[in-house]
Amino acid sequence: MRRTVIALMGALLALLLVCLLLIAGSTDASSTAAGCAPSRQSEGAADGGRWSPEQTRNATTITEIARARSLSQRAAVIAVAVAIQESSLVNLAHGDRDSVGLFQQRPSQGWGTREQLTDPPYAAGRFYDALLAVDGWETRPLADVAQAVQRSAYPEAYARWEEPAGALVSAAWSAGATTTTATACTDYGADAAVDFDVENPRTPAQAIAAARRAVGQTGWYRRCDAFVAQAYGYLNSGSRTANEHWARLRDAGLTHPGDHSPPPGALLFYDTGQAAGHVTLYLGDDQVASNDILDAFEGQGRIALVNRDDLTAGRWRLHYRGWAAPSFPGAGGRSTI
């Protein structure tokens, strides 16, 4: 009997050891980076699989930033593959230590503020900044280049996502910039590839005229989103801040991240490094209508017409997010200008 019990126990221990080995062998290693967080288990299938609308949208944003910077599809494929591995193409608000966002970049490592790094266009731009500093990135294996940027403890993990990343980038690249189909707001010389699907109280031409009428008005201090809404005929924009407005339009597919060729009447959004952000109305010929930019004293809130460069290269030095179709989810009331 004792020999039987001992033999049975030995068999059970052997079976347990086999199970543990099988489990260990089936677990993917996640990357551990000096500058970025360990990646979570990627949810997309290595064969391309199915991607959620959020994942597809983020891959498209990464691709759009590459196009806007005149980079190659190869750059976008590398970036999307890294984002798949690091975050499963989900804009994470958390990670290892202080890592956040699609690329799990760390504020403490100089990538940007937490708010900036959870803004996909900004995060993608910072990734491309680092990518372009890698010698021979255009021709070197994807895993080698990704490792040079991310400094992962498991650099081989990136290679498995090259094919699905290529498929996502190819689809977004062939589609071009995000567009919508519309019957309104098409009478002011916009890019023929871009039609808006929003009917506002005023057309872009009327909104531009209203903005010009408002030049010199005061009382718009920190009310940029209200100003562009009123230019379009609403009393309020329906969003609490410009950043919130941008996020809502981005989720609706109405934004063009990093694109520097907006049509007249477009809303131009900027990252200020603060929670509110900034938005202006584009008038054409590189001119925008903006509050606060030329105030004689803090709190004046004066509307002025300035060159776009005055926002990004002037005293404010804002980070340009991109432009969006003039849409105001939840807006209401009637404009006073």
Side-chain angles (χ1 to χ4, degrees):
M1 174 65 73
R2 183 176 181 182
R3 290 181 180 178
T4 301
V5 172
I6 292 174
L8 181 59
M9 292 179 62
L12 290 173
L13 288 173
L15 180 60
L16 178 61
L17 178 60
V18 170
C19 290
L20 290 173
L21 289 173
L22 288 173
I23 292 172
S26 64
T27 302
D28 288 333
S30 59
S31 65
T32 303
C36 304
S39 60
R40 67 179 191 172
Q41 178 65 33
S42 296
E43 297 173 357
D47 62 357
R50 293 184 177 181
W51 303 99
S52 71
E54 178 186 9
Q55 291 171 310
T56 302
R57 183 173 63 248
N58 286 329
T60 299
T61 295
I62 294 170
T63 303
E64 286 177 350
I65 296 302
R67 289 174 63 96
R69 295 181 59 159
S70 299
L71 299 176
S72 64
Q73 279 188 254
R74 179 63 177 171
V77 170
I78 295 169
V80 171
V82 167
I84 294 173
Q85 176 60 29
E86 295 295 341
S87 68
S88 293
L89 283 173
V90 175
N91 190 24
L92 299 175
H94 56 79
D96 178 62
R97 289 169 286 186
D98 58 338
S99 301
V100 293
L102 293 174
F103 300 93
Q104 288 291 276
Q105 294 153 324
R106 298 181 59 193
S108 62
Q109 296 295 325
W111 289 93
T113 66
R114 186 178 187 281
E115 182 181 48
Q116 289 172 329
L117 297 178
T118 50
D119 176 41
Y122 179 90
R126 291 292 287 117
F127 179 86
Y128 289 128
D129 289 342
L131 175 67
L132 295 178
V134 177
D135 289 337
W137 67 266
E138 302 97 327
T139 57
R140 289 170 58 184
L142 183 147
D144 290 352
V145 177
Q147 168 65 2
V149 176
Q150 300 294 107
R151 293 177 289 166
S152 167
Y154 301 95
E156 67 281 357
Y158 298 112
R160 68 189 295 250
W161 302 114
E162 183 165 2
E163 185 174 342
L168 285 165
V169 170
S170 179
W173 200 277
S174 62
T178 304
T179 61
T180 58
T181 304
T183 56
C185 305
T186 58
D187 57 344
Y188 63 104
D191 184 342
V194 180
D195 293 325
F196 300 144
D197 63 356
V198 178
E199 290 196 38
N200 297 309
R202 295 172 181 166
T203 67
Q206 291 170 334
I208 290 171
R212 291 184 181 280
R213 288 197 302 270
V215 170
Q217 284 188 11
T218 59
W220 294 98
Y221 181 60
R222 294 186 176 180
R223 298 180 61 209
C224 58
D225 209 42
F227 169 66
V228 295
Q230 291 218 15
Y232 268 97
Y234 299 104
L235 179 62
N236 60 76
S237 74
S239 298
R240 291 172 296 179
T241 66
N243 280 347
E244 179 182 291
H245 193 173
W246 168 264
R248 297 172 77 179
L249 298 187
R250 181 192 63 207
D251 291 345
L254 295 174
T255 59
H256 300 254
D259 190 309
H260 289 270
S261 301
L267 307 181
L268 274 55
F269 287 85
Y270 298 85
D271 175 17
T272 64
Q274 299 177 347
H278 189 61
V279 60
T280 66
L281 180 65
Y282 185 57
L283 309 181
D285 297 324
D286 279 336
Q287 298 292 304
V288 297
S290 175
N291 61 311
D292 299 351
I293 183 67
L294 295 183
D295 280 3
F297 55 88
E298 184 176 1
Q300 184 180 20
R302 181 161 59 97
I303 302 299
L305 302 187
V306 296
N307 191 280
R308 283 193 289 175
D309 289 344
D310 291 335
L311 296 170
T312 56
R315 58 174 181 155
W316 280 8
R317 295 190 177 277
L318 305 183
H319 171 72
Y320 174 66
R321 289 182 182 273
W323 65 270
S327 176
F328 302 87
R334 180 171 295 182
S335 173
T336 61
I337 60 174

